[in-house]
Amino acid sequence: MSRARGPSLIAGSDEAPEGVHPTNKASRISSPGDVVALAALACGGVVGLALLPAILGVRCVRGLYQAGKKICSKDPVLDPDMAQDCDGIWPFSEKPGGGGAQQFPEGTKRLAGYVKMSDGVRIAVDVLLPPCAQGADGTFHPVPCVVHMARYWRAWEMRWPIRELLNRGEPWDFLLGPWKSALLESGFAVVSADVRGAGASGGVQSVVWSPRETQDTLELIDFIVGVNQPAGRQPWSDGQVALFGVSYDAGAAVRAAAHKHPAVKAVVASFLFGDIWRELFPGGIMNRWFLQSWCNVNSRLDNARLAAIHPFSPLIMKGAAPASSRKQLSRCVSEHRGNWDLMSAAGSIKAIDDPVAIGSGETMTCQNLELFANPLPSLDGKAVLPALAASQLPTLLISGWACVTSGTACAAFSALAGQHWRLLLGPWNHGGVQHVRYCRETKLLKFPKAKAVQEFLLYHMPRQGFAQSSVPAWLASPKPEVHFYVCGASPAWQHSTEWPPKNVVKKQLWLSTSQLTWTKDDLEHEGSTQLPKATDLVRYKWKASAVAKGRALLFETSVCPTTLAVIGSAVLTLRLRSSKDQDADIFAYLRERPPDGGDLVYITEGALRLSYRREEEAPDHEKDAAHYAPNPLAGPHPPFICHSTSEQSMLWLPIKEQQLSL
């Protein structure tokens, strides 16, 4: 990727002097909007005080009811030790991210400005400096830097008086604030930038994860470490850079890391999308709800339409944090009107190689966003993840059982992991927002994912005067390791040097009339079963009435007499016969029935559009990660691996005295 001209830093407005500048804390009431917001909050406070006795009364009654229900409950606890959920490597913490819940560490200094890219587009940047990087006389002490490219605003500016309650009046990142706080506590500088076409940055997003967006990241690193910069390296940088991101931002991080910039020493990618077709079009069926919701949120953020996000949003927040003057912020936001309409393009996608038009006037397919096998000219014909593996860059991948990105994380580790690769799989949905639990009567504890990021970066990017007292156990070996959470087990965290672990064996279950049997000999008969014509909206706790009313077919095993641990991707092979030559969508849900015989509990799901049943075998990286093997009952066509649409594709779940249901 060519970077002939280096980026330059400007303060943001045409009249402002060049250079990164400290931010001034906003005055208490700085706009008419603050006055309106304060009046509305005051009225809301009066109403809230009037309703407070009733609210407290309802909460007390509900608490007493739940306590009585728990005392009277006869549900067994599977393991008295499962509440520990810890193997001694990472202790749980009620302090999210190991840092401040809603503020950066005391003494953090925020600098803001615009970095002008080689094509003239201005990228809004925040530089967060820990106290150890600041000298008493206004000078800086060089420290390692963590770069984060933000799709959903690098920071949010709040209205007074709300901003006085968050981060000491400074803008706050509601998505990754605790992660940034943890990095600052470890002595890292954090450089967070809005990607072009988003937040306070200028420019247009012509397509998601565009090559130009990756070049922006590389030019920002050049600016930090002094490549093609007359002023040289930034005074707060020691020349070491790590790339970090969650979800979309993780895609930006790995695409830049694959280019082997000499300053980049490590990359942390959490909940990384690596195979868009199989993640967002599972089995050939568009995950329309997710795509539409995601596009709506992005459009509202890009165009600063806060009221469209929530009617009360303008009362408590102003928008993306300015990098300089508000006039410059308005100019940059106005450029976002030309952003690519992803949902309009996605509506025409029927197959993995269907071309769609992008904002630059070119065309692309879902294959162009795939990280495993799509060759890029800027990477000498390699795909992103193979190029990342060839760079021998220390890599930390984070995902969760209840997230579709676990398939990418496991596949990347299985097929490509080299020295100093780590894979962390926990009981989380996308972004780690929820800690999913499948066992009843267990305490929900918060796992400090940011602590693992702290330790990983400190080990691979040490800074002077801030050494870890000892090498963390999970980083002691240079060999690749996966650390995974076993739901309901004690210890919960286990590890392996390969994926899937060696002791995993394929276990087949056979569909009979309303039964899942462990051996083919247990089949009652091999007759056919009529499929339901349609289903209602999916509910993840289904009652028996759904089957009785013909909305679904239910197949159940007998009670499991011993503990069963399930790991990997569930593969369903069906032989179907139809009286009509028509297409149909098949949805399958793996669930378990608890010992008390209550509602079925969702575990995972898969989907397939029947017209896609012959499209292809699973890619090699998926075969390795899923412990895949063809089923002899599949007939002449290879079976299709059904991965989950919006939930987990990999799972550990010890089951005892319970039943599996399909």
Side-chain angles (χ1 to χ4, degrees):
M1 182 171 289
S2 175
R3 302 196 306 278
R5 290 191 297 125
S8 60
L9 191 107
I10 56 178
S13 66
D14 298 332
E15 300 81 10
E18 293 188 3
V20 175
H21 55 93
T23 57
N24 297 319
K25 187 174 180 180
S27 58
R28 290 189 173 182
I29 298 179
S30 57
S31 67
D34 287 346
V35 177
V36 175
L38 183 60
L41 290 172
C43 294
V46 172
V47 175
L49 287 174
L51 297 177
L52 183 61
I55 295 173
L56 291 177
V58 171
R59 291 181 64 90
C60 288
V61 172
R62 183 180 298 173
L64 291 173
Y65 171 76
Q66 293 293 340
K69 184 178 179 181
K70 183 175 181 180
I71 293 173
C72 298
S73 174
K74 296 182 180 180
D75 290 354
V77 176
L78 298 182
D79 189 335
D81 295 327
M82 67 175 60
Q84 299 296 322
D85 289 335
C86 178
D87 62 357
I89 294 182
W90 300 289
F92 278 92
S93 170
E94 295 296 337
K95 191 178 181 183
Q102 298 296 339
Q103 64 182 13
F104 295 137
E106 184 73 38
T108 297
K109 187 172 185 177
R110 175 175 173 259
L111 311 177
Y114 280 96
V115 175
K116 192 174 183 179
M117 298 290 103
S118 57
D119 66 349
V121 172
R122 299 178 176 189
I123 300 298
V125 177
D126 278 359
V127 179
L128 304 174
L129 298 177
C132 62
Q134 306 169 40
D137 55 353
T139 59
F140 298 102
H141 301 306
V143 294
C145 174
V146 179
V147 172
H148 163 240
M149 302 300 292
R151 178 65 183 87
Y152 314 109
W153 296 2
R154 73 197 193 285
W156 298 58
E157 185 183 24
M158 311 302 292
R159 293 191 185 279
W160 187 88
I162 301 298
R163 63 170 167 260
E164 300 299 330
L165 306 177
L166 298 173
N167 200 29
R168 305 179 184 90
E170 290 285 353
W172 178 249
D173 183 348
F174 286 97
L175 295 179
L176 298 180
W179 298 70
K180 294 178 180 178
S181 182
L183 293 170
L184 290 166
E185 288 180 348
S186 298
F188 294 107
V190 178
V191 176
S192 191
D194 290 323
V195 300
R196 63 173 53 211
S201 288
V204 172
Q205 187 181 69
S206 60
V207 67
V208 292
W209 297 302
S210 67
R212 179 62 248 190
E213 190 177 297
T214 300
Q215 187 169 339
D216 291 343
T217 306
L218 298 173
E219 290 186 7
L220 180 59
I221 297 172
D222 286 346
F223 162 75
I224 294 170
V225 301
V227 176
N228 298 326
Q229 297 295 302
R233 192 172 69 197
Q234 294 300 306
W236 35 264
S237 167
D238 70 354
Q240 299 184 92
V241 172
L243 291 164
F244 165 77
V246 177
S247 189
Y248 183 100
D249 309 347
V254 297
R255 283 170 171 82
H259 286 79
K260 298 188 291 187
H261 193 292
V264 177
K265 306 302 180 184
V267 60
V268 178
S270 299
F271 306 94
L272 170 69
F273 286 96
D275 193 341
I276 293 298
W277 173 254
R278 290 175 177 82
E279 290 161 342
L280 301 184
F281 295 80
I285 304 170
M286 181 194 295
N287 191 338
R288 188 175 299 276
W289 175 88
F290 172 82
L291 279 171
Q292 186 67 69
S293 300
W294 187 75
C295 292
N296 288 344
V297 169
N298 284 340
S299 176
R300 293 162 185 172
L301 291 176
D302 295 346
N303 295 284
R305 294 188 291 116
L306 294 179
I309 297 176
H310 192 280
F312 292 157
S313 295
L315 298 178
I316 61 175
M317 59 184 63
K318 291 185 176 182
S324 62
S325 69
R326 295 195 179 278
K327 182 182 292 186
Q328 179 61 46
L329 174 63
S330 298
R331 284 200 291 262
C332 287
V333 170
S334 67
E335 296 176 11
H336 302 168
R337 296 169 187 162
N339 281 2
W340 180 51
D341 187 349
L342 170 60
M343 197 61 207
S344 295
S348 64
I349 296 176
K350 303 299 181 183
I352 190 173
D353 56 354
D354 280 348
V356 297
I358 60 177
S360 62
E362 302 172 297
T363 60
M364 60 161 288
T365 70
C366 288
Q367 293 169 310
N368 296 125
L369 300 177
E370 195 255 351
L371 300 182
F372 289 94
N374 178 47
L376 297 179
S378 61
L379 297 175
D380 298 326
K382 293 182 179 178
V384 170
L385 287 177
L388 178 63
S391 72
Q392 300 183 342
L393 195 68
T395 301
L396 173 60
L397 301 174
I398 301 176
S399 190
W401 296 133
C403 178
V404 71
T405 63
S406 60
T408 287
C410 292
F413 185 89
S414 177
L416 302 168
Q419 286 198 336
H420 300 298
W421 274 53
R422 293 295 184 270
L423 170 59
L424 184 62
L425 291 166
W428 311 308
N429 67 349
H430 189 63
V433 177
Q434 291 178 316
H435 297 245
V436 179
R437 300 301 301 275
Y438 301 98
C439 305
R440 295 185 175 186
E441 304 300 327
T442 58
K443 185 179 181 182
L444 178 62
L445 298 174
K446 296 177 180 178
F447 173 75
K449 295 178 287 295
K451 180 175 174 60
V453 177
Q454 284 176 305
E455 293 180 344
F456 183 81
L457 294 182
L458 281 173
Y459 180 75
H460 293 291
M461 209 166 56
R463 71 175 184 80
Q464 187 176 3
F466 197 94
Q468 298 185 87
S469 57
S470 61
V471 177
W474 69 293
L475 298 173
S477 172
K479 295 181 179 180
E481 288 185 4
V482 52
H483 293 259
F484 50 92
Y485 185 97
V486 184
C487 300
S490 182
W493 285 99
Q494 301 181 18
H495 71 278
S496 172
T497 57
E498 60 184 61
W499 190 264
K502 291 181 179 179
N503 60 344
V504 172
V505 295
K506 182 179 178 182
K507 185 72 175 178
Q508 288 185 331
L509 291 102
W510 304 82
L511 273 67
S512 177
T513 304
S514 74
Q515 290 184 334
L516 276 176
T517 62
W518 293 102
T519 63
K520 187 176 181 180
D521 294 337
D522 293 335
L523 291 175
E524 294 181 2
H525 58 81
E526 296 191 25
S528 60
T529 303
Q530 178 66 42
L531 293 177
K533 293 182 179 179
T535 61
D536 291 337
L537 293 176
V538 174
R539 300 183 184 277
Y540 290 100
K541 279 194 175 182
W542 283 11
K543 298 183 181 296
S545 59
V547 178
K549 295 179 180 179
R551 297 196 184 108
L553 295 178
L554 178 65
F555 303 88
E556 286 193 280
T557 67
S558 56
V559 175
C560 299
T562 59
T563 299
L564 173 69
V566 181
I567 186 172
S569 294
V571 180
L572 174 63
T573 303
L574 292 174
R575 293 181 67 108
L576 302 176
R577 182 175 59 201
S578 174
S579 60
K580 298 180 180 180
D581 184 15
Q582 59 185 11
D583 206 359
D585 295 339
I586 300 294
F587 296 87
Y589 303 88
L590 184 64
R591 297 162 292 171
E592 62 99 357
R593 190 185 295 279
D596 64 356
D599 295 339
L600 297 171
V601 179
Y602 169 88
I603 297 176
T604 190
E605 67 188 86
L608 174 65
R609 180 158 292 167
L610 294 183
S611 57
Y612 288 91
R613 66 191 182 278
R614 305 183 188 181
E615 65 169 21
E616 62 177 4
E617 287 197 46
D620 290 339
H621 62 266
E622 283 197 2
K623 290 181 181 180
D624 293 339
H627 209 70
Y628 172 89
N631 188 321
L633 287 187
H637 309 301
F640 185 94
I641 290 187
C642 293
H643 286 306
S644 57
T645 57
S646 61
E647 302 298 323
Q648 65 268 23
S649 56
M650 307 288 179
L651 175 76
W652 265 92
L653 178 66
I655 301 172
K656 186 177 182 181
E657 297 181 357
Q658 302 183 48
Q659 295 171 274
L660 284 175
S661 302
L662 182 69

